[in-house]
Amino acid sequence: MTIIETKNLNLHYGDNHALINVSLSFMKNEITALIGPSGCGKSTFLRVLNRMNDIIKDVRIDGEVIFDGVNIYAPDIDPMRIRKNIGMVFQKPNPFPMSIYDNVAYAPRYHKVKKRAVLDEIVEKSLRKAALWEEVKDRLKKSALSLSGGQQQRLCIARAVALEPEILLLDEATSALDPISTFKIEDLIQDLKKTYTVIMVTHNMQQAARVSNKTAFFLLGDMLEFGDTEKIFGNPVNPKTQEYVSGRFG
């Protein structure tokens, strides 16, 4: 079942045509990897999916992004409602300078959850989903900045799932981490797809091949090829895809 799709999506940064007629469909409870060289539009595309580009000056978007049967760029759509249902984790861990507990409780409080018992339940549930609860359950009042880099990124995942979104966007979420932390996050992503649809940008070809069900290859703002990950890496149709996944450029 399709959970979100783009139709003839174009994005301009001023005079720069950064995304060109991108049409993609994402299936519920699948992991999709977006690959391609730096500057090809994959992170820009990811940010389109929860309207994070709205805050950038001189951005113009044409086409549609259909989620829950509506175009999220329609004039009457509240971007905050979209971001509640489509969470995002960024390249570098960015915990707030507050306690571990308050990091996870931040968004529920923003959305008017006040009861301590309810917040306690949300915090524990979210940290368990991020495979972090057992490591931090005895120091929830400690600063989130005291955690290791890998733990901080898992905390950011816990923060993103605290509102129980339907989709989780990961923008190179392991690129700043050591190999051990990276493998922990990859294992976590596999577990998260039982509950969420995961769309991830990665420069790591091995990671895309290991983790994802589907892969989309971007080049210079075009989405050149999309399909099962095994086919994209084993027998791609487009010669440019073959050159990229075999390491001949990028």
Side-chain angles (χ1 to χ4, degrees), residues 133-179:
W133 174 252
E134 293 299 328
E135 296 171 44
V136 302
K137 63 183 180 181
D138 297 324
R139 47 180 175 143
L140 295 177
K141 294 182 180 179
K142 299 283 188 181
S143 170
L145 302 179
S146 68
L147 298 174
S148 70
Q151 288 175 323
Q152 287 185 12
Q153 194 66 305
R154 280 184 282 148
L155 177 64
C156 291
I157 291 172
R159 194 173 65 194
V161 303
L163 292 175
E164 298 190 341
E166 294 180 58
I167 298 172
L168 192 59
L169 309 177
L170 306 178
D171 192 2
E172 297 191 61
T174 64
S175 65
L177 304 180
D178 62 84

Side-chain angles (χ1 to χ4, degrees), residues 69-126:
V70 300
N71 178 16
I72 69 172
Y73 284 90
D76 59 338
I77 298 297
D78 177 9
M80 293 306 294
R81 184 178 73 83
I82 297 302
R83 293 176 195 138
K84 181 176 184 291
N85 288 293
I86 305 176
M88 190 162 189
V89 178
F90 298 94
Q91 180 175 359
K92 292 184 178 179
N94 61 339
F96 301 143
M98 53 183 68
S99 72
I100 295 167
Y101 183 100
D102 288 338
N103 263 268
V104 183
Y106 185 89
R109 282 175 174 149
Y110 179 86
H111 287 277
K112 312 302 183 188
V113 178
K114 300 295 184 185
K115 290 185 178 179
R116 180 70 185 214
V118 176
L119 286 170
D120 287 350
E121 183 179 349
I122 290 171
V123 169
E124 179 175 347
K125 186 177 179 181
S126 301

Side-chain angles (χ1 to χ4, degrees), residues 226-244:
F226 174 67
D228 291 340
T229 294
E230 188 175 332
K231 187 173 189 304
I232 294 293
F233 282 92
N235 188 28
V237 173
N238 192 300
K240 289 291 185 186
T241 310
Q242 177 64 52
E243 289 177 24
Y244 184 73

Side-chain angles (χ1 to χ4, degrees), residues 150-205:
Q151 288 175 323
Q152 287 185 12
Q153 194 66 305
R154 280 184 282 148
L155 177 64
C156 291
I157 291 172
R159 194 173 65 194
V161 303
L163 292 175
E164 298 190 341
E166 294 180 58
I167 298 172
L168 192 59
L169 309 177
L170 306 178
D171 192 2
E172 297 191 61
T174 64
S175 65
L177 304 180
D178 62 84
I180 292 174
S181 297
T182 294
F183 282 121
K184 283 186 178 180
I185 298 284
E186 288 182 6
D187 284 344
L188 174 58
I189 291 169
Q190 292 285 5
D191 199 46
L192 288 170
K193 84 165 183 177
K194 298 171 186 174
T195 309
Y196 310 102
T197 299
V198 180
I199 306 171
M200 57 185 289
V201 167
T202 180
H203 272 107
N204 186 325
M205 295 300 95

